């Protein structure tokens, strides 16, 4: 049998959570562990600050005098994801699993947290590849406070983060692809919990030949 016909596509795995929940180090470690197990995997992060839209987003986040309307910046964050769709599909079709640090859910949650309309915010996300699995790193506010402090970027305030947490909990209830991980545990325990969920997902895709939505 032709090798390509039995090769399964990669899994699209998104990791969500508030700032300082450990997403960056966990996503890096996950890719390392998957590769060690001979599962091809790559990390991706949104916003990608290296692209043209990413430059504007980075400026907006770091400079409070950067005046953009809420709608304009919301659409730029979304465009930053749309820029990567071809690359996402290409990787998955090659059999590479993608571990993505933030996605549409952050897009909707952070904008809704500042008072924008949830429905309006969701519309431009329609049509982006649907993640097979969203891992929500759920950390309680006391533990978030004890981790190295907030930087100076916009949104790094406890009011915003608290609202974002509530919106993420809403997704965890309403979306069928969400899994909640207790991010208050040790780094290694959080890692092994995440790895277990991801491997389970990869097996499912291989067994049932699940198409990407
Ligand atoms: P990060 O590089 O992951 O720390 O993200 C930068 C900040 O931007 C962080 O506070 C979360 C926020 N953010 C990430 N994605 C989006 C998005 O799509 N829309 C909005 N409004 N904020 C986002
Ligand atoms: Na941040
Ligand atoms: Na990050």
């Amino acid at each position: 049998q032709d090798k390509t016909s039995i090769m399964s596509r990669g899994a699209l795995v998104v990791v969500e959570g508030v700032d300082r929940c450990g997403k960056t180090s966990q996503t890096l470690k996950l890719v390392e562990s998957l590769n060690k197990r001979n599962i091809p995997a790559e990390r991706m992060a949104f916003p990608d600050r290296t692209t043209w839209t990413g430059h504007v987003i980075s400026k907006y986040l770091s400079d409070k005098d950067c005046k953009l309307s809420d709608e304009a910046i919301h659409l730029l964050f979304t465009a930053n994801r749309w820029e990567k769709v071809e690359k996402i599909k290409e990787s998955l079709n090659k059999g590479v699993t993608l571990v993505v640090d933030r996605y549409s859910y952050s897009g909707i949650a952070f904008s809704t947290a500042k008072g924008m309309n949830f429905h309006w915010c969701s519309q431009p996300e329609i049509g982006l590849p649907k993640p097979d699995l969203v891992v929500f790193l759920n950390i309680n506010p006391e533990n978030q406070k004890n981790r190295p402090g907030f930087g100076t970027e916009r949104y790094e305030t406890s009011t915003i983060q608290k609202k974002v947490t509530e919106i993420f909990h809403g997704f965890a209830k309403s979306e069928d692809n969400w899994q909640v991980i207790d991010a208050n545990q040790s780094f290694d325990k959080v890692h092994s919990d995440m790895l277990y969920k991801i491997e389970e997902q990869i097996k499912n895709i291989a067994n049932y030949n699940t198409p990407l939505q």
Side-chain angles (χ1 to χ4, degrees):
Q1 201 175 1
D2 174 5
K3 189 163 183 277
T4 53
S5 67
I6 53 168
M7 191 189 72
S8 167
R9 70 166 172 88
L12 181 56
V13 178
V14 166
V15 181
E16 287 285 8
V18 290
D19 288 297
R20 292 194 293 172
C21 70
K23 276 185 298 80
T24 308
S25 36
Q26 288 291 354
T27 50
L28 287 166
K29 175 86 177 166
L30 276 171
V31 168
E32 197 185 296
S33 295
L34 290 168
N35 286 334
K36 265 191 207 148
R37 290 161 189 240
N38 289 319
I39 299 167
E42 283 171 18
R43 179 177 181 271
M44 205 179 249
F46 292 110
D48 177 346
R49 301 188 189 213
T50 67
T51 69
W52 289 107
T53 61
H55 291 323
V56 181
I57 292 168
S58 186
K59 174 81 179 158
Y60 173 82
L61 288 171
S62 61
D63 181 356
K64 289 186 175 87
D65 293 327
C66 174
K67 299 233 181 336
L68 275 171
S69 76
D70 287 344
E71 290 81 4
I73 187 64
H74 179 81
L75 294 171
L76 282 173
F77 270 108
T78 305
N80 190 253
R81 287 182 280 279
W82 277 104
E83 285 185 313
K84 286 278 155 38
V85 169
E86 222 170 304
K87 161 87 180 124
I88 291 174
K89 289 183 174 169
E90 203 180 274
S91 299
L92 297 175
N93 287 330
K94 274 195 308 196
V96 176
T97 285
L98 292 176
V99 178
V100 185
D101 185 334
R102 296 193 190 281
Y103 202 58
S104 306
Y105 312 97
S106 276
I108 298 164
F110 280 86
S111 291
T112 307
K114 29 177 203 190
M116 296 180 76
N117 179 274
F118 183 93
H119 182 70
W120 188 91
C121 290
S122 311
Q123 299 311 300
E125 306 295 327
I126 294 173
L128 285 170
K130 188 189 172 190
D132 297 295
L133 172 68
V134 181
V135 177
F136 171 34
L137 293 185
N138 186 26
I139 188 169
N140 69 38
E142 297 84 72
N143 280 334
Q144 191 193 18
K145 258 185 247 154
N146 291 335
R147 296 194 175 175
F150 283 133
T152 53
E153 289 202 327
R154 218 184 277 247
Y155 304 149
E156 293 183 337
T157 68
S158 18
T159 318
I160 295 265
Q161 303 287 327
K162 201 171 149 242
K163 284 188 188 149
V164 168
T165 302
E166 283 165 19
I167 297 159
F168 282 154
H169 279 292
F171 281 127
K173 282 206 190 86
S174 67
E175 301 292 305
D176 55 4
N177 55 352
W178 275 56
Q179 291 281 348
V180 184
I181 300 270
D182 178 4
N184 304 298
Q185 309 173 98
S186 72
F187 180 89
D188 290 341
K189 181 69 168 75
V190 173
H191 173 66
S192 62
D193 283 3
M194 292 173 90
L195 194 57
Y196 178 80
K197 299 277 183 208
I198 294 174
E199 289 194 298
E200 209 175 42
Q201 190 62 51
I202 290 171
K203 271 182 223 147
N204 268 335
I205 292 172
N207 288 343
Y208 304 107
N209 225 343
T210 320
L212 182 69
Q213 278 181 275

